[in-house]
Amino acid sequence: MRIIAVNNNYKNRLGQLAAANPKGRKSMKMVDDSAKYGEIDYYPYSMNSVQFTGKFADTYPKYWLKNLLKLNLPCPCCGKQMIPLDEVKALPAAGLFSASCLTAVNTLEQFEDYMKPVEYSIMQIIKPLAQKYPGIDLQELIILLSFEYESSLVAAQLTILNRLKTLAPEVEEENRQELLDITKTAKEFILKKRSTKFKRKIFLGDIEEYTAKIENKETREKILTLAEKMPTSEDSVSAFIMKYKDRSPEEIGERLLMYSAATLEHITPDSENGEVTIWECQRCNNTRSNAPVIRQINENPNMLDNLRNHIQIIVDRAVFIKNHGGTQQSQKLLDYAKAIRDEYLTNIKKYKNIAVKIEDEALKKLQFEEIPISGEIKEEIE
Ligand SMILES: [Zn+2]
């Protein structure tokens, strides 16, 4: 049901886009044969540059890339399906989250399958409550829950602080007391003995600064790893509830969907002048930041399979379009699929020496009959 809604919205938006750009349409000499392709109607002005000109964004402008989202692509990293960002933004703008919690929850429910684990769990908790208390709004619903969930968050936080304390004997004597002081202060914030709220980010900053002084690498890593387990709204239902109880209904609704939104990710980081972009969910995009793709693949064991699925869908659509007579549009899709696949392989190649296993696996998994791997890339990897 949701897919239809998205596709229709997409059609409307792209229709408006085409109407707003009649010049682009008219200037093309090619015949608009898009009607033949059923639901995927690439606009004729997206057909003009089949050759890859070198400037990725000129060849594949954003409106062309947006069209790809109609294929319901999975995130190449986590494999979850993505929601177009416009779609996410349109919901609070339409007032759907600020109305009664029942309206908000019914709206959100359509996107349930796209949600990340914590967001999905929150939905399972709020659905029956919204039925029970339809007269309150989404924020009030989260506030209601906060009475119940605060204790489990505090318990989890205190447990981590106590475990940190037990590491003190492993630290050199002159740095021992500071670790005890940091945990003590953190407890005071958590237990509301101080006037402001406990902030995980500040706590982690203090820990990081502190561990820089520790000589033993193993101990340093242990402390950092443990401190990072401090719950966040990204991995803990109770942390989510306690954080978002102070936010507006619009913010809460949007946040439940935001990490599932499709964002354009530079395969080679922006900071290294990467041009080639792929749709990736907001969460994976954030997590990766500017790290090399090799690290992303390392941290996500299913990534090469998910990436393969992502590319396969584009290739399949190209074949479908070709079978319906759209040779040039089909070729452009294949060129794009090849561009993203080769960009990953080129990046993997850079780290040849440290990731032999990934190289082999990538070469095996990212083979497609329709977009052969160029000899150059293959040779350098093998
Ligand atoms: Zn993802």
Side-chain angles (χ1 to χ4, degrees):
M1 212 161 109
R2 195 206 75 82
I3 292 169
I4 294 167
V6 168
N7 284 344
N8 281 340
N9 282 338
Y10 240 73
K11 274 191 180 143
N12 291 340
R13 269 202 303 280
L14 290 166
Q16 283 160 11
L17 188 69
N21 191 2
K23 204 169 153 235
R25 247 171 193 275
K26 242 188 275 168
S27 67
M28 291 308 307
K29 293 192 182 83
M30 283 167 202
V31 183
D32 178 6
D33 51 359
S34 60
K36 290 180 199 161
Y37 315 134
E39 55 171 340
I40 291 293
D41 39 356
Y42 282 90
Y43 289 97
Y45 53 76
S46 67
M47 292 166 63
N48 61 345
S49 43
V50 171
Q51 272 87 30
F52 189 62
T53 59
K55 194 94 179 101
F56 186 84
D58 291 344
T59 311
Y60 306 103
K62 204 165 176 189
Y63 62 80
W64 187 89
L65 293 171
K66 267 190 173 182
N67 230 350
L68 290 176
L69 291 176
K70 289 200 286 185
L71 299 173
N72 289 316
L73 296 170
C75 168
C77 177
C78 69
K80 277 284 231 177
Q81 278 203 2
M82 301 177 280
I83 313 169
L85 186 63
D86 300 356
E87 194 82 9
V88 176
K89 294 279 180 194
L91 299 170
L96 289 164
F97 295 148
S98 48
S100 96
C101 65
L102 197 56
T103 306
V105 168
N106 286 342
T107 305
L108 288 162
E109 199 179 359
Q110 301 173 68
F111 298 91
E112 214 175 62
D113 292 343
Y114 294 62
M115 288 180 184
K116 304 296 166 193
V118 167
E119 289 82 332
Y120 184 85
S121 303
I122 297 275
M123 280 302 292
Q124 307 321 307
I125 297 166
I126 62 179
K127 273 194 290 184
L129 268 182
Q131 295 286 345
K132 200 171 167 188
Y133 307 113
I136 64 176
D137 71 23
L138 194 54
Q139 184 189 3
E140 289 159 351
L141 198 68
I142 298 294
I143 292 174
L144 270 191
L145 285 168
S146 70
F147 295 112
E148 188 186 334
Y149 280 82
E150 183 171 21
S151 57
S152 59
L153 176 62
V154 171
Q157 290 168 328
L158 294 181
T159 303
I160 287 170
L161 293 174
N162 288 342
R163 283 175 63 197
L164 273 175
K165 263 169 68 181
T166 64
L167 292 177
E170 291 184 33
V171 178
E172 317 76 83
E173 211 180 334
E174 70 265 32
N175 289 326
R176 223 168 267 168
Q177 188 55 43
E178 193 177 344
L179 181 60
L180 300 177
D181 290 345
I182 292 174
T183 54
K184 185 168 172 264
T185 310
K187 275 190 187 182
E188 286 172 7
F189 280 105
I190 290 167
L191 297 172
K192 297 181 178 165
K193 291 180 182 166
R194 305 233 179 176
S195 56
T196 50
K197 269 171 98 174
F198 170 74
K199 292 249 172 16
R200 181 182 186 271
K201 223 185 224 167
I202 294 174
F203 167 72
L204 284 183
D206 288 349
I207 287 283
E208 230 166 81
E209 206 175 289
Y210 166 70
T211 48
K213 296 180 208 163
I214 294 177
E215 279 169 34
N216 186 309
K217 193 181 166 223
E218 209 181 305
T219 309
R220 192 166 60 218
E221 295 285 308
K222 260 195 215 170
I223 294 175
L224 277 172
T225 313
L226 192 51
E228 269 164 21
K229 288 198 177 134
M230 197 53 92
T232 82
S233 61
E234 293 180 18
D235 62 24
S236 147
V237 167
S238 47
F240 185 105
I241 289 169
M242 295 315 292
K243 178 170 179 182
Y244 283 90
K245 74 180 175 59
D246 299 326
R247 306 295 175 91
S248 69
E250 288 88 346
E251 279 174 286
I252 296 167
E254 197 175 313
R255 171 61 180 77
L256 284 167
L257 302 175
M258 209 44 180
Y259 282 143
S260 311
T263 58
L264 281 171
E265 165 82 312
H266 286 84
I267 298 171
T268 302
D270 217 0
S271 53
E272 293 169 30
N273 302 319
E275 282 192 7
V276 181
T277 51
I278 187 169
W279 288 110
E280 185 169 87
C281 82
Q282 176 89 64
R283 162 65 72 76
C284 294
N285 196 336
N286 284 1
T287 308
R288 181 188 162 198
S289 188
N290 273 336
V293 286
I294 203 99
R295 198 195 299 167
Q296 197 184 27
I297 295 170
N298 250 333
E299 286 168 3
N300 297 277
N302 296 324
M303 177 155 176
L304 287 174
D305 292 309
N306 296 333
L307 177 59
R308 189 191 160 82
N309 290 342
H310 184 107
I311 298 171
Q312 185 73 63
I313 289 172
I314 298 169
V315 169
D316 287 349
R317 180 53 57 160
V319 171
F320 174 83
I321 290 178
K322 194 177 175 201
N323 291 340
H324 288 75
T327 314
Q328 286 190 303
Q329 295 193 30
S330 163
Q331 190 56 48
K332 181 155 178 166
L333 278 173
L334 287 180
D335 288 346
Y336 171 74
K338 187 170 176 359
I340 53 176
R341 193 271 317 273
D342 289 356
E343 188 81 351
Y344 274 102
L345 288 180
T346 309
N347 269 279
I348 291 169
K349 199 173 73 182
K350 271 194 224 158
Y351 297 87
K352 191 177 157 76
N353 298 332
I354 56 162
V356 182
K357 226 185 106 211
I358 290 179
E359 307 258 359
D360 289 349
E361 227 187 312
L363 267 188
K364 251 181 252 153
K365 288 191 171 163
L366 301 179
Q367 296 262 17
F368 298 85
E369 205 184 305
E370 297 82 356
I371 44 168
I373 298 172
S374 73
E376 194 194 329
I377 292 179
K378 223 173 185 169
E379 212 174 88
E380 285 186 46
I381 289 180
E382 278 164 358

